[in-house]
Amino acid sequence: MTAVHSVDDIPSAETVETAVVGRTLRQIAFNRIKHDKVAIACVIALVIIILLALFAPLICNLFNVDPYTFDSAAISDSGGLPVGSLGGVSMKHPLGVEPLTGRDILARLLYGTRVSLMIAFLATTIVVTTGVLIGIFAGYSRGWIDSILSRVMDLTLAFPFLLVVIAMSPVLEQRLASLGIPAGNASRIVTLVLLLSLFGWPYLARLIRGQVLSMREREFVEAATSIGSGTSRMVFKELLPNLWAPILVYATIAMPGFIGAEAALAFLGISVQPPTATWGAMLEESVGYFTVDPFYMFVPLTMLLVSVLSFNLLGDALRDALDPKADRT
Amino acid sequence: MSDVILSVKNLSVEFATEDGVVHAVDNVSYEVKRGQTLAIVGESGSGKSVSSLAVMGLVRSNNATVTGEVHFGGQELVGLDPEEVRKLRGLKMAMIFQDPLSALHPFYTIGEQLIEAVQVHEKVSDGDARARVKTMLDRVGIASAEQRMDEYPHQLSGGMRQRVMIAMALINSPELLIADEPTTALDVTVQAQILELLRDLQKEFGTAIVLITHDLGVVADMADDVMVMYGGQAVEQAPVRELFYQPQMPYTWGLLASIPQMHTSSLKLDPIPGTPPSLINLPVGCVFAPRCTHKDLVAGGLCLTTRPDLGAVSDTHASRCHLNEAQRIEIRRSRNIGKVD
Amino acid sequence: MFPYIIRRVMLMIFMLFVLSVVTFLLFNAVPTDPAMLTCGKTCTPQIVEANRIRLGLDQPLPFQYFEWIKGIFVGRTYGSGTQTFDCSAPCLGYSFKNGEEVTIMIKQALPVTMWLALGAFILWMSFGIGSGIYAANRKGKWQDRTIMAITLIGYSLPVFLIGLMMLIFVIVRAHLLPYPDYVSPFENPLQFLQTMILPWISLAILYAAYYTRLTRSQMLETMSEDFIRTARAKGLPEKRVIRKHAFRAGLTPIVTSAGMDLAGLLGGAVITEYVFSLPGLGRLAIDAVKDYDLPTITATTLVAATFIIIANIVVDVLYAAIDPRVRLS
Amino acid sequence: GGGSGSATGGSKGGTLTFLTEAEQILHLDPQRNYTGEDLAFASGYLNRTLTQYTLSKDNNEASKLVADAATDTGTASADGKSWSFTIKDGIKWQDGKAVTCDDFKYGVSRTFATDIITDGPTYAISMLDIPKDAEGASVYPGPYKATADQQAAYDKAVTCEGNKITFNLANASTDFNYTVTLSSFAAVRKDADTGEKYDDTVLSNGPYKIESYVKKDSMVLVRNDQWDAATDSFRLALPDKIVYKFAQPASVITERLMADAGEDASALSPDPVDTTKLAVVFSDSKYEKRRFNEFDPYVRYYAINTKKVPNVKHRQAILACLDRDALRKIAGGEYAGDYADGVVKPNIGQDYAPTGLWDGLLGDKVEATGNVDLGKKLIADAGEAFPNPLVFDYGKSEVADKAAAAVVASEARCGITVKPNGLEIGGYYGVVMDPAKQGGMSASGWAPDWLNASTVLPELFTPSGGFNLSQYDDKAFNDASTAAKAITDRAEQAKAWQDLNKKAAELALVVPTRFGLEQRLTGSKVGNAYIWGPYGSWPYALLSAN
Amino acid sequence: MSAPILRVKDLQKHFPVTSGNLFKKQVGEVRAVDGLTFDVYPGETLGLVGESGCGKSTAGRSMLRLLEPTGGSVEFDGQDLLAMGKRQLVSMRREMQMIFQDPYSSLNPRHTIGSIIGAPFDVQGVKPEGGTMKAVQSLMERVGLNPEHYNRYPNEFSGGQRQRIGIARAIALKPKLIVCDEPVSALDVSIQAQVLNLLDDIQKEFGIAYIFVAHDLSVVRHISDRVAVMYLGKIMELTTRDQLYSAPLHPYTHALLSAVPIADPDRERARERIILNGDLPSPSNPPSGCVFSTRCWKATDRCSSEIPVLREISAGHQIACHFPEDRSSATASSTVSGTDFTAN
Ligand SMILES: Nc1ncnc2c1ncn2[C@@H]1O[C@H](COP(=O)(O)OP(=O)(O)OP(=O)(O)O)[C@@H](O)[C@H]1O
Ligand SMILES: Nc1ncnc2c1ncn2[C@@H]1O[C@H](COP(=O)(O)OP(=O)(O)OP(=O)(O)O)[C@@H](O)[C@H]1O
Ligand SMILES: [Mg+2]
Ligand SMILES: [Mg+2]
């Protein structure tokens, strides 16, 4: 006789438990990151840098330094180089002083960190949000909306970034002024962030659009339709959660990109206005002193290198950790 | 025995992963004779592909360890200079992979890929190689081969691609052909064409075939001998008729009972409950014990504590099970499995 | 193929049109009065007015735009009275600031930038691809780590810093090369090479990192493809598997990036040109922007954009050449 | 050593190389050239002027005139309203044609075409006897679009009789022969005039001619074989070839000159030594013979816009509060120069006398770091609130940005809110010369066009001056200045200028910051290098490459 | 018999083949589904078989208006589905559900099982008694999943378990019709059997009608009441299961049935086989006349010029062939194995 197996024979919970040791991608990724020494080091470095930036005023108080005070005593009267070795490192100025002005490098570095990170962070946030939203929208709508959005992306990408940024900063600043944001550093930062974002979003939007196009073909999207889901549920609940991996990876790579862009713009003299410090501005200035006061360059360069490396390596680690194919033949 | 072209002894493959060591293949031994077909069946993930890749020397990930012996045409392959193994691959032993679209390079024409397979082993002029490829494509039933040779894989249908894969494998008339689920991606009508082709070619060249599949119908059609794998182990090995008519192992029974029969009228299927084991934490006892509905028949919970050996049922038939012969016959009779006299 | 290219070129012309309008508007929104820039230190409002009329800046914007477009196709005449001069087609405008036809300036600057971009491109591509493949084959081993670390550091360093440091160490300090002094390669090949080698290297350092990483990840990706297993099963030697099968399959994104990057550089490698005093397009553009030299800005922007758009087309055609699955119709 | 050779030292031959950060010679067109270094360069090599300053390391000696294209240093009519010069025979253009009186006359006429001939000095317009219209512009619009009537007006003011050129002036001038040292009074041949484009292609009548000129890249000068040394007692023309390399990064120029390797031994720069390397260059004795540290002709100052800050106490407060010490340190400390006490610099000679600006002229002594108490007191005395914010225009550069920061910080001590307005150098004067756009304070610098304060005080502080950034218009001051110009006794005139200078200081029309010093470096093979007083430049006519 | 729950008439779905970048233009079309007509009654299972790519999934989707059909009509529960507005359609989806082909891609990997199975309640605004959570857990229990795994993610489950999640989602709102798109083809034989049994039980319990899409004839035979055989977007034969398997009339059905290997060596090797020549033609360029004519061993000139219509040949037996043939007797008489029937 044929034994009748009904649903009751379906494996009990216990067998499932032992049979499938499944973990979510998030858990797997977290686990992989936890075991990745490089990634951990990066996270620590970034946390330290961010803390330094957040608590800049506090730390400066602690050392009794500030980024704007000129200290004529700390520099020589002939040539304006810092007095003392290692760029004027002393009790009073733990990381030395800036040539010509005697402003404290530690303080400038910390406040510069704030500005640089803020620019990079804001730009990344805007780029990621707009890029993701537009990318999802284009990919999900397909048809003429997609065509138009894609052309806009092409067009934006076809603009020579640096030129437009340089030319547009004064214009934008003026517009902002008419909106009530007075010219000055606040508006400079806003301008920079807006311009960096303006040219940053199409890359991500394209990436996301591609992902969405292929994800649309996955059946869970259709399954969502089949139960009657609307567009907003589709975009925010079904698609978006599946895009975190590329978004996260992109964001960690974009951050250092923007930090570097700020430095390049500083070199061309269109970053934040002095006396406000940024990493880029400090580096740009210190390059000239490289032969006579190498320590001056060493300080911001180290910061830049550490943060760029950390973000990039972390991005790599994340990508590896989030890659379901990793470590398989 | 000169007849034996491939003899595998105690082959094990382990992968070190972040979750632990995966025992993908565990002490597997088998032999294949010239002109004969060995079918390997078993559930998904039971180590069928990995064991064959190990034979071909294609288990290449950094985290893999291959142990055991692989005698091929009188040569020991495990531990041999990889360069020597490479020279055998494609020439003396060849393999067909499961998904013919992803197994063919999308950027090269069929002709280029086949000609390369000829020229890597032999100094042949382009013209000669091309002629040989054309003959082979004709042989595997590709119409207007000359023209097809200049097409890319995506321009061919699934059946044609699989034929191209077969042509590629057979182009140097290998002594051994490993076919890893060669028809899973195809539908039945094309599958029938392909199997027919394999059979013809085997007759012609006397090639030994290792056929991996989970379709017992295909096994019934093609195989001389069968090896059933479960959880990385060979759980039953037998000539094809014995396996279908006198299966000795509960997993094999489960497999046979799960198939909806085209020509019988059983209305309710008899599935194996549960899911396959994790290859990292294999059960201490019989690997199949957690899903086995008959383990209670064995006294003292032996099934859960002691792993059964691959015991000989006859000269040619072996299985891993603690049940005694009487119990097996009784169960098969009650479940109507195989032919019970 | 042909109809495809024709369609793409039409699309390109359309995009260039949009671009030219947008640039024209953008830069006309700059708050500085270009007429004023023509009149120098001893400026009076009368002179400004006179110049405004002479340069046609008193005309309404659409008319100015029309004149400008006309100039490109049929040439135009500037000035009035006895002091007129012809600017023959393609007339990209007349730079008030430099007192020169923009077309001539671009003709002078373009070859410099082109050589710079091409040389750097060849360098970084060969290095990036080579080391990427090497690293991929040694994934996780120290060679892999070292290569990735070195390229990342190269990528993190601001390009002005790399350039200046090389200039100072290689030329000023070690006298390994003469000072950069651009000549055409047809005029003096040796001097050309001596001048270009450092700019090439510093640009290559910047870009190589990305290509190393891209190649590496592409290789890792393709090496796990089934057709690689097939190639091995055929008995192909490993070298051939990598070069002919794996690399070719992963080439598409590399080609895309390469096309875009090369095109971007052809629009001007601003900072490198600055550091090494190369009279290229980037400098021309940036200087024009700083001087609010509208005709030069508009023209350079368009030239740069044209490169990018052409690169897009070329990349797409190459795509089809590499990947037979891509159809261009 | 090379740098201190006598005026006739150095040997012929070789290539002299100039390295500069600039992207071009600002203007080669003689009528548009108005920057000291470029004037010296062009008149040293390409165009001859009627008169020249003496080539001498000694400033007093150098301020004396010598004849160049003219046979002597000019003859004034008795009323001082007409000056004539006779042009030497044998002076030729590079194409072999003789340089005539008409060429000089034509050259001067170009100055009037102010729409095309921009940036040049406008002395010809203000001094020549040509009627002005209601708005004060000359009725003569220059040679390009003059009607016959207009041209006739000019032809009356400048006349040629054979080789003798005569300038008829509107007002008496005792030193018009100094004025003509400016290349805006140099010759341009009518048939060679290409208008706006002449700036790139000048036809030379000097010892060299342009072989190639690519902006942002280089300019090469080679010998002009039509130049006859016999007609020229001013120029030595020693190098065979002169190469100008543009657009070099500042720090690299200094590094190269310091390294002094290969061809760079015959190189020098019109730019100052990069501030970052000053300390090294001036402390290491190996540079001793080829480094120079001299006063340049400039006074650096911040003009205070009297329209925006009308209250003199407020202006004085700005002066009192400023930390000039920080500014000087930023500019290089002791290498930046001395604290200025007015717009007239000591190296002008007799027209200078200390004004005592910082020693009580404002009511109390003002230290270099500022006198905050005094500043606060002055604001309180002003009787009204300070018109905050004070927009501070300056041309952007790294150093200027830092200086602006110092200005902001130090003025803040007195409650003055300075709003820095960094402008691209290219558009700087376009903004600040426009009263509608100028801020309350604008950074600038001024050098006398010749060694007479008449080229300083009236220019800077009267409406008729060309550079009145202070927007100052005071009847008494205007009259005093016009009167001073007309004084024929030089000593008496000097006294008048001294008084006016002190007056201007007291009125706080500008914040004088520094009497500029300039540091330069040459390669070791460069001969006859020194800093030539009149232009604060190299003595181009003398330089040698070996 | 009661009224059909689903009436499909001349259903068509053509996909445009486009080219161009900015301005797309259609250069051809893929006739994925080309005129299907059939009814489905409450509680019955209609099997839909055919080679891969013959348009089964497309047909299933078009019936539920997950794809907008190009032509034809679909009447669900007496209402014209194609005339419905978006709103109405959404609420209609309560009654008709789909189980998707691929258990791996049909579950959103970033959602927990609980939220996947609970989604229909959410979306349709249905508040089950005792709360969604409870309803979901009882559903999980019903399909044989441990309710405690409510918060797990799909990747923690095996293929069979995932397919059950999909089933649970489909039956959550107790619909009247479920289109099962190859629910077992991605599964192992043993797991496949589990799922088939489950579907069977659920049908018995709720009286749901199934449209069961598959290409595996043995599976279809196991579960269906009636079977439609498709080839290149068209129905070739539609009849009851027993009729189809015992007395097929269409040559294509013959070929299909004969190609299924039997898991029994003796019978398998003795079986008569029809090996078709060539591959499935491209649906964007289908053969003229009878679409099967290019591979049919009985094809004549008529076949390649005249399209055979689907007609009722006997009660409940529809066929689209010019030369129907009952080979059940022939099979019995013929003992030739491996006969190679070729077209030309
Ligand atoms: N590189 C690897 N690292 C870790 N585990 C691996 C690796 N390659 C294969 N495995 C594991 O080895 C086991 C056996 O895999 P194999 O591919 O041989 O299964 P199979 O029997 O061929 O299954 P299927 O029928 O699905 O093809 C699987 O559990 C698989 O996950
Ligand atoms: N979105 C689409 N655009 C264009 N063609 C499509 C689209 N979807 C399906 N097709 C085509 O329609 C035909 C039928 O596809 P469908 O998926 O319905 O086949 P199927 O019978 O379900 O096959 P399988 O058994 O492989 O699932 C195929 O040729 C397919 O290529
Ligand atoms: Mg396998
Ligand atoms: Mg389907």
Side-chain angles (χ1 to χ4, degrees), chain D residues 52-309:
Chain D
Q52 288 278 8
Y53 292 103
T54 309
L55 285 163
S56 167
K57 271 193 268 188
D58 178 64
N59 271 344
N60 275 330
E61 192 60 27
S63 67
K64 293 181 181 147
L65 287 185
V66 291
D68 183 2
T71 49
D72 55 29
T73 57
T75 325
S77 63
D79 61 357
K81 284 183 134 188
S82 138
W83 279 80
S84 42
F85 302 85
T86 306
I87 290 140
K88 280 182 193 157
D89 287 331
I91 301 180
K92 288 189 211 141
W93 292 103
Q94 68 185 55
D95 58 5
K97 291 191 182 158
V99 175
T100 66
C101 173
D102 279 329
D103 294 342
F104 274 93
K105 182 177 167 187
Y106 180 78
V108 176
S109 76
R110 296 171 83 243
T111 304
F112 289 81
T114 49
D115 51 349
I116 292 166
I117 306 303
T118 55
D119 291 356
T122 51
Y123 289 109
I125 302 175
S126 60
M127 295 175 88
L128 287 177
D129 186 17
I130 296 175
K132 304 239 179 356
D133 64 14
E135 281 165 23
S138 173
V139 297
Y140 177 59
Y144 304 127
K145 46 183 172 188
T147 60
D149 282 356
Q150 292 167 331
Q151 190 62 44
Y154 177 74
D155 289 344
K156 241 174 72 191
V158 183
T159 58
C160 275
E161 298 159 43
N163 265 354
K164 189 170 136 200
I165 185 165
T166 305
F167 298 96
N168 299 307
L169 309 180
N171 297 309
S173 169
T174 52
D175 53 7
F176 186 72
N177 51 352
Y178 278 85
T179 313
V180 298
T181 56
L182 288 168
S183 71
S184 62
F185 288 86
V188 170
R189 204 169 74 207
K190 186 169 186 179
D191 65 352
D193 183 10
T194 47
E196 196 158 356
K197 299 210 163 178
Y198 194 65
D199 219 10
D200 306 341
T201 55
V202 290
L203 195 68
S204 169
N205 54 26
Y208 298 91
K209 60 183 177 188
I210 299 175
E211 185 186 65
S212 71
Y213 179 19
V214 180
K215 288 170 186 171
K216 296 181 191 180
D217 184 43
S218 66
M219 175 160 76
V220 177
L221 303 186
V222 294
R223 284 193 185 279
N224 171 12
D225 51 13
Q226 298 297 325
W227 175 74
D228 181 1
T231 65
D232 199 332
S233 54
F234 182 70
R235 298 169 183 81
L236 292 184
L238 294 173
D240 286 336
K241 193 171 170 185
I242 287 158
V243 176
Y244 220 116
K245 294 237 164 88
F246 302 110
Q248 307 291 318
S251 60
V252 175
I253 296 175
T254 304
E255 284 280 355
R256 286 176 70 164
L257 294 176
M258 284 165 77
D260 197 35
E263 291 175 13
D264 287 346
S266 311
L268 68 173
S269 172
D271 305 340
V273 171
D274 191 26
T275 40
T276 64
K277 273 114 198 162
L278 277 174
V280 179
V281 170
F282 283 88
S283 59
D284 192 330
S285 61
K286 77 176 172 195
Y287 305 110
E288 195 174 354
K289 301 226 161 123
R290 47 198 186 94
R291 68 188 176 206
F292 303 88
N293 185 13
E294 301 279 342
F295 280 104
D296 62 18
Y298 286 91
V299 177
R300 318 287 151 124
Y301 62 90
Y302 300 153
I304 300 178
N305 184 340
T306 54
K307 295 263 158 51
K308 299 253 162 90
V309 192

Side-chain angles (χ1 to χ4, degrees), chain A residues 84-327:
Chain A
S85 58
L86 271 186
V89 170
S90 64
M91 286 304 281
K92 204 171 153 207
H93 300 290
L95 287 179
V97 294
E98 189 183 56
L100 299 184
T101 60
R103 293 184 289 201
D104 184 76
I105 290 186
L106 173 69
R108 291 186 70 71
L109 186 74
L110 293 183
Y111 278 88
T113 308
R114 292 185 124 189
V115 180
S116 289
L117 284 191
M118 174 145 73
I119 290 175
F121 178 77
L122 288 178
T124 308
T125 314
I126 296 181
V127 161
V128 167
T129 344
T130 50
V132 166
L133 287 182
I134 295 179
I136 293 187
F137 189 60
Y140 181 71
S141 326
R142 296 194 278 204
W144 61 272
I145 296 183
D146 180 28
S147 287
I148 288 181
L149 286 176
S150 297
R151 284 321 121 199
V152 173
M153 292 178 212
D154 287 353
L155 213 61
T156 318
L157 288 177
F159 268 102
F161 163 73
L162 267 181
L163 288 194
V164 182
V165 169
I166 293 168
M168 286 307 292
S169 351
V171 186
L172 249 182
E173 213 172 323
Q174 224 185 31
R175 296 275 174 282
L176 286 175
S178 65
L179 288 177
I181 302 179
N185 274 325
S187 96
R188 271 287 169 132
I189 292 176
V190 174
T191 311
L192 273 182
V193 167
L194 286 182
L195 286 171
L196 289 173
S197 314
L198 183 67
F199 290 96
W201 71 268
Y203 289 94
L204 183 61
R206 272 194 174 177
L207 190 86
I208 295 291
R209 173 179 168 270
Q211 297 263 335
V212 171
L213 279 182
S214 78
M215 205 183 293
R216 265 199 76 113
E217 303 305 318
R218 304 257 304 265
E219 282 181 333
F220 70 82
V221 173
E222 202 167 16
T225 318
S226 83
I227 57 168
S229 311
T231 307
S232 83
R233 183 188 162 94
M234 203 64 113
V235 168
F236 292 105
K237 286 216 162 147
E238 301 283 343
L239 296 177
L240 195 56
N242 283 289
L243 295 167
W244 286 125
I247 293 172
L248 217 61
V249 170
Y250 180 86
T252 46
I253 307 275
M255 277 287 274
F258 287 127
I259 294 177
E262 190 274 324
L265 291 177
F267 177 77
L268 296 171
I270 41 177
S271 184
V272 173
Q273 290 232 334
T276 309
T278 69
W279 288 350
M282 289 181 78
L283 260 181
E284 197 273 305
E285 276 183 30
S286 64
V287 167
Y289 288 92
F290 173 68
T291 47
V292 289
D293 181 8
F295 194 71
Y296 180 25
M297 185 172 96
F298 176 75
V299 173
L301 185 62
T302 313
M303 273 311 246
L304 183 83
L305 271 184
V306 167
S307 66
V308 172
L309 277 178
S310 302
F311 271 119
N312 271 307
L313 289 174
L314 185 63
D316 281 0
L318 266 179
R319 177 168 40 216
D320 290 349
L322 289 166
D323 179 7
K325 275 213 271 182
D327 275 336

Side-chain angles (χ1 to χ4, degrees), chain A residues 13 20 23-24 222 237 242, chain E residues 61 108 111 146 153 155-156:
Chain A
V20 183
R23 290 171 306 169
T24 61
E222 202 167 16
K237 286 216 162 147
N242 283 289
Chain E
R61 287 179 181 139
N108 193 328
H111 290 179
N146 184 348
Y153 287 87
N155 71 310
E156 298 176 59

Side-chain angles (χ1 to χ4, degrees), chain A residues 327-329, chain B residues 15 17 22 24 43-50 61 63 98 181 279:
Chain A
D327 275 336
R328 294 285 314 260
T329 17
Chain B
F15 297 102
T17 69
V22 174
E43 228 154 338
S44 187
S46 56
K48 303 184 296 290
S49 300
V50 171
S61 54
N63 59 346
Q98 187 163 347
E181 313 202 11
L279 294 176

Side-chain angles (χ1 to χ4, degrees), chain E residues 57 101 181-182:
Chain E
S57 300
Q101 183 161 5
D181 188 3
E182 314 212 18

Side-chain angles (χ1 to χ4, degrees), chain E residues 166-209:
Chain E
I167 293 171
R169 170 171 61 190
I171 63 170
L173 299 171
K174 303 213 169 62
K176 295 182 175 146
L177 172 77
I178 300 181
V179 173
C180 312
D181 188 3
E182 314 212 18
V184 292
S185 61
L187 305 177
D188 245 288
V189 266
S190 67
I191 309 288
Q192 164 181 313
Q194 293 173 0
V195 173
L196 288 177
N197 285 348
L198 174 63
L199 284 172
D200 220 20
D201 295 337
I202 291 167
Q203 184 171 47
K204 290 207 177 89
E205 190 174 332
F206 301 116
I208 305 173

